[in-house]
Amino acid sequence: MKKVNKINKIIFILLGILLININCSDDVLDQTNPNVITPTNFWNSAEDAKKGIIGAYAPFTHIWYYTRFEIFASDYRDDLINGFGVSERTALGRFAGIPGANGTIWVWRAMFQGVTRANEVIANVPNIDMDTTERNNILGEGYFIRGINYFNLLNNWLNVPLITVPISEIEKPNEILQAPPADVWAQIESDLKEAQQLLPTSWPDEELGRVTSGAATGMLGKVYLYQGKYAEAKAEFAKIMDGSYELMDDYSHNFTAEFENNKESLFEIQFVSDGLNGWGADRANSRKAAAFTEDLAPSGFTGQDGMRINQWALDLFLDERTVNNEIDPRAYTTLFWNTNETTEYQGKTLASRTYGNRTWDEAFPSGNSFIFANKHLDWEYQDLPRGTFNNSSNNLRVLRYADILLMFAEAEFMLNGSTAAALDAINEVRTRVDMPAFTVITMQDIEDERIKELSFEKTRYYDLLRWGQVESKIVNNSELKSESGGTSAYKAGREYIAIPQNELNRNPNFKQNPGY
C-alpha cells in the first residue's frame, strides 16, 4: 500500500457488511440476493481479510479526517494559529464550537468509522483459513487502527462510548453508555500491546504505509506519557531507540513528497495526487490527496480563509541561534516571514520562501506584516497553481522519531530530572539542526523544543491539554485568537469538543460534555 490510490479499487467493501434482516410472511419474497455482500459471504478468504483492513485504513484519508477537517480540531486550536474569520473552521479554536456543527459531527464520525471497521477485522479475520503470519499482521493492523482512533477520540471528546465488537452484535446500539475515560485508556493500551506482538517490523516496498510494530510501540509510549505513566512510557520509547529508526539528516525532508516513508517516519497517512474529484469521500474513485494544506497556506496562496501565526512563535525560534550564530533551520521550514537573513544548512542556503519558491517580496509585493505557516507545503519540490493545494500528494507524518526522542526526554526528566539520558535524547534532535547542545534542561526547555520541532504536526494543543495549560496559554491570552473574535466563549470544560448533537438525539444515555 505504497499509496492509498490502491484503496480506490476495493475501498469500503465494509459498507455492505451490515446484515439486513427482512422479515416477511411470504417465503417467495424471502430470497437471498447473491450480489449483496454479507458476513456470511464475505470474511471467507485471505483476499477478504486484506480488503477489510484496507477499508479500516480508508477513513484516515477521508476529507473529514486527516485529509482536511481534523486540522480544525488539532492545529487550529493551539496557541500558534490565529485563524481568519468566524466560522466552523475557527470555532473550536476560540472555544465556540457547538454540538450541531458539521465539523464536530464529521470528525467524530470519521474516527468512529475507523473504529467500526477495525472491530469487523478483529472479530472476523481470526476465523479465516489463511496464512498465520498474514492473519496476525492484519489483526495487528486492526488493533493499531482501533487504538489510534480511540486515542484521537479521547483527546478530543474525552467522554466517548467504548465499542469493541461489530455493531451487529450489540442488541441495543442506541443505548450504549459513554465509558469512563480510564476504561478507554486501558483499551487503547491493550490494543497497542496486541499490535506490537502481531505486526511485522517492516513491509515490502509495495506495501509501504502499512503500520509496523515500531509504530505500535511508539504510540504505546505516547499513550503512557499522556497519562503520566512516565516509567512505562520511557520503557516503550527505549525499545525503538536501538537504531530501528534514525533522524533524517535534513529536517525539511520530513515534510516533502520526495522523502515519504523515510527512516524517521513511524506512521504516516498516504496521500496521492490522483486527479480525482470527490474530496476524499468515503467511496472508491474519490480524491485521496492532501487538502489540509489549504488551511496552512499563506494569504493569496489558498482558496480558503486561511490564518496567520502569532508573533510569539517566531520570537521563540529567533531567541536562540545555531552553533554558527544563524537562525534555527527549522524556522524556515515551519514559518514564512519577512526577513533577509539566511542560514547555511546541509549544503544549502536557507531563506524565507514559500509555495512556488517565492520570496517574501515576490509573494507580497504590496506588503504584508503577518507571519504565515510553511510546513507541509512542499514548496521546494512542487509548483501547483495557487488554490490547488488539495491536489497535494505530500504524505502527513503522524508519528516520527524526533517526537519519540523528545517524549523520551520528557519521561526521563519527569522521573529523574536533567540526566545524561534526557540530555542525550533532546540534544540528538538539536544537533540535527546545528543547535547548541544543552548541558542542563528544564521542563520549559522540553516544551520549547517541542514547539520548534513539531509545530503544525497535531501535537501542540494536546501537549497543552495534558500539561493542564489550555486556560493559561490560550484562554487567558485572547489576542492569540484575535482574528476570529478572541476566547470569551470559553467555559470550563470546553477544552474538549462538544458531543455531536445527532449522537445525543439518537442515544438518550449520552450526556453532553461540561461547558456546553
Side-chain angles (χ1 to χ4, degrees), residues 22 39 62 71 142 149-151 194 228 236 257 269 291 350 393 409 421-422 425 487:
I22 303 175
H62 198 294
I71 197 172
N149 275 297
Y150 263 121
F151 177 82
E194 290 283 352
E236 295 304 322
I269 306 303
L350 304 184
S393 65
T487 60

Side-chain angles (χ1 to χ4, degrees), residues 9-10 13 42-54 125 128-130 134 138:
K9 297 180 180 178
I10 56 178
I13 198 75
F42 192 68
W43 300 120
N44 289 323
S45 67
E47 183 63 22
D48 290 345
K50 188 170 183 179
K51 289 177 180 178
I53 197 60
I54 290 175
V125 169
I128 297 176
D129 183 13
M130 59 187 293
E134 184 180 9
I138 288 174

Side-chain angles (χ1 to χ4, degrees), residues 61-81:
T61 55
H62 198 294
I63 194 67
W64 298 341
Y65 207 160
Y66 286 125
T67 299
R68 187 182 181 221
F69 254 84
E70 186 276 345
I71 197 172
F72 305 130
S74 57
D75 293 322
Y76 262 61
R77 283 203 284 166
D78 71 23
D79 49 351
L80 283 78
I81 287 182

Side-chain angles (χ1 to χ4, degrees), residues 2 123 140 189 244 248 263 273 291 434:
K2 188 173 183 180
E189 291 177 15
S244 301
M248 293 291 286
K263 63 183 180 180
S273 184
D434 299 332

Side-chain angles (χ1 to χ4, degrees), residues 87-358:
S87 68
E88 278 193 86
R89 297 166 51 263
T90 57
L92 297 178
R94 58 189 176 88
F95 306 102
I98 59 174
N102 283 335
T104 300
I105 295 169
W106 290 345
V107 180
W108 165 290
R109 184 180 298 169
M111 291 177 179
F112 267 114
Q113 282 177 336
V115 169
T116 298
R117 293 172 184 176
N119 285 341
E120 294 282 354
V121 169
I122 293 166
N124 290 290
V125 169
N127 301 320
I128 297 176
D129 183 13
M130 59 187 293
D131 178 77
T132 300
T133 299
E134 184 180 9
R135 180 197 297 119
N136 287 343
N137 291 168
I138 288 174
L139 284 171
E141 291 174 283
Y143 281 114
F144 179 90
I145 290 169
R146 185 168 71 185
I148 195 173
N149 275 297
Y150 263 121
F151 177 82
N152 291 337
L153 285 160
L154 192 62
N155 281 287
N156 280 297
W157 281 276
L158 187 62
N159 298 299
V160 298
L162 182 56
I163 305 169
T164 58
V165 298
I167 292 295
S168 59
E169 295 183 14
I170 301 175
E171 184 177 355
K172 297 180 179 180
N174 287 344
E175 296 182 11
I176 295 172
L177 300 175
Q178 290 154 293
D183 291 355
V184 184
W185 281 119
Q187 184 63 54
I188 297 169
E189 291 177 15
S190 175
D191 283 348
L192 293 174
K193 288 176 184 177
E194 290 283 352
Q196 270 184 318
Q197 300 304 312
L198 295 168
L199 286 167
T201 57
S202 63
W203 292 89
D205 287 347
E206 63 270 19
E207 301 288 347
L208 284 180
R210 297 180 73 170
V211 71
T212 64
S213 59
T217 299
M219 274 304 302
L220 181 57
K222 187 172 183 176
V223 166
Y224 283 137
L225 185 73
Y226 270 50
Q227 298 174 83
K229 297 181 178 180
Y230 300 116
E232 293 92 333
K234 175 186 170 182
E236 295 304 322
F237 297 140
K239 292 177 183 177
I240 49 176
M241 292 169 62
D242 62 352
S244 301
Y245 298 91
E246 301 175 50
L247 298 180
M248 293 291 286
D249 293 336
D250 189 325
Y251 172 75
S252 70
H253 288 172
N254 290 297
F255 314 106
T256 72
E258 185 176 1
F259 295 96
E260 294 171 342
N261 300 302
N262 62 47
K263 63 183 180 180
E264 186 170 338
S265 178
L266 279 75
F267 180 58
E268 59 191 75
I269 306 303
Q270 309 291 307
F271 290 125
V272 59
S273 184
D274 49 26
L276 296 172
N277 294 316
W279 265 51
D282 194 23
R283 62 176 180 270
N285 299 317
S286 61
R287 181 182 297 158
K288 296 296 178 182
F292 71 93
T293 45
E294 286 270 20
D295 301 290
L296 291 174
S299 292
F301 291 84
T302 173
Q304 303 301 318
D305 292 339
M307 54 82 173
R308 66 178 176 88
I309 304 303
N310 289 307
Q311 180 69 44
W312 73 267
L314 174 61
D315 291 344
L316 184 67
F317 277 104
L318 301 182
D319 282 347
E320 194 180 14
R321 310 289 284 192
T322 69
V323 293
N324 300 314
N325 195 34
E326 296 176 312
I327 294 174
D328 187 332
R330 294 173 294 188
Y332 297 103
T333 296
T334 306
L335 303 174
F336 180 52
W337 77 103
N338 189 3
T339 181
N340 292 320
E341 280 201 68
T342 61
T343 293
E344 297 300 317
Y345 177 65
Q346 293 292 318
K348 299 182 292 187
T349 299
L350 304 184
S352 186
R353 290 183 170 87
T354 194
Y355 210 67
N357 202 10
R358 293 171 176 84

